[in-house]
Amino acid sequence: MKYRGMEIHWLGHDSFRIIGRKIIYIDPFKVSAVPRVEKAEIILITHPHYDHCSLEDIEKVSRDGTKIITHADCQSKIARLPVKVEIIPISVGKKLELGGVEIEAVPAYNIGKQFHQRQQEWLGYIITMNDKRIYHAGDTDLIPEMKNFKVDVALLPVSGTYVMTAEEAVKAAQVILPDLAIPMHYNSIVGSEADADHFIEGCRKLGIKVEKLPKF
């Protein structure tokens, strides 16, 4: 989809390609072969689980010189790539600027379940590009830090089990109040189209603009 001078493509699960000032991929997983002109200038990895830090998929979208922003827990795995990439570790609360794009690492964790523990300090990201702020929540529940996020677009998990349920994701959207909310983390591993639809319905009832993207 086109959004205010950018393109946002959902690649399935938690994976997105965002095209603006830079070509950015987030958590590539089970992606198709990518033409060289569409390969990443920047890749963001949220945490080391296989469906987020997939070496095979990172290689598919990388080219020489790609910058990979990642949690330190993923660093040794990514270092095995045959492509000459630049690995840049980042931690919660840190920001960096790459060619006019700001990347901020924010918390992503579970409350009341053990899959993504707060002390691991795994990540979501806020990307500022083309004067717009896009929040990729990573694998998270509804967490208190969300009330401080001022963003234009929120990419939120909706499947439950390992992340927020659709109902909790609606509450997250209500807390964040983005210009646009987009569901993710469904139709792969866990979650179904019905979870995304439930999220869409809940957001619309609250007057929150929402869109379910087709898988690109």
Side-chain angles (χ1 to χ4, degrees):
M1 70 168 291
K2 293 188 182 299
Y3 179 82
R4 300 191 177 186
M6 294 183 288
E7 296 179 26
I8 302 173
H9 302 147
W10 180 55
L11 307 180
H13 199 44
D14 270 17
S15 183
F16 285 83
R17 179 174 64 200
I18 303 171
I19 302 175
R21 185 167 290 176
K22 298 287 186 182
I23 300 174
I24 300 175
Y25 283 75
I26 309 170
D27 284 357
F29 179 62
K30 293 187 176 179
V31 299
S32 303
V34 175
R36 181 168 179 78
V37 294
E38 297 175 359
K39 290 196 174 185
E41 294 171 271
I42 300 171
I43 300 173
L44 307 180
I45 303 297
T46 60
H47 65 288
H49 287 165
Y50 75 96
D51 51 330
H52 299 267
C53 185
S54 166
L55 200 63
E56 175 186 0
D57 292 288
I58 294 170
E59 182 177 350
K60 283 181 187 176
V61 305
S62 295
R63 61 191 184 193
D64 287 350
T66 294
K67 299 181 188 299
I68 302 180
I69 316 303
T70 183
H71 191 279
D73 287 351
C74 308
Q75 193 170 356
S76 60
K77 183 176 182 180
I78 296 170
R80 301 201 301 267
L81 281 172
V83 187
K84 294 178 181 178
V85 300
E86 180 182 355
I87 303 171
I88 305 174
I90 197 169
S91 56
V92 169
K94 300 298 183 182
K95 297 180 183 179
L96 56 86
E97 192 272 337
L98 298 169
V101 176
E102 183 184 87
I103 309 292
E104 178 181 358
V106 297
Y109 58 89
N110 290 139
I111 296 174
K113 45 189 184 276
Q114 301 299 312
F115 304 109
H116 311 88
Q117 297 180 40
R118 186 173 188 173
Q119 61 266 30
Q120 292 168 311
E121 295 194 334
W122 290 343
L123 305 174
Y125 290 99
I126 296 175
I127 304 158
T128 303
M129 181 166 66
N130 292 44
D131 298 319
K132 299 299 172 188
R133 290 165 59 81
I134 300 174
Y135 169 46
H136 185 289
D139 275 10
T140 191
D141 285 329
L142 171 57
I143 57 175
E145 290 88 345
M146 288 178 178
K147 70 179 182 295
N148 298 317
F149 298 163
K150 306 300 181 187
V151 300
D152 299 288
V153 179
L155 314 174
L156 299 174
V158 300
S159 65
T161 305
Y162 304 110
V163 295
M164 294 184 282
T165 63
E167 293 87 350
E168 290 165 338
V170 170
K171 291 177 182 177
Q174 190 175 20
V175 167
I176 298 167
L177 288 178
D179 178 58
L180 175 66
I182 296 172
M184 65 179 186
H185 206 290
Y186 65 95
N187 268 2
S188 175
I189 303 176
V190 293
S192 68
E193 204 79 28
D195 294 307
D197 290 340
H198 190 47
F199 173 74
I200 297 285
E201 180 184 3
C203 285
R204 286 178 176 162
K205 285 180 178 176
L206 293 171
I208 298 168
K209 185 179 178 183
V210 63
E211 188 159 348
K212 182 172 68 174
L213 300 187
K215 185 175 177 181
F216 190 85

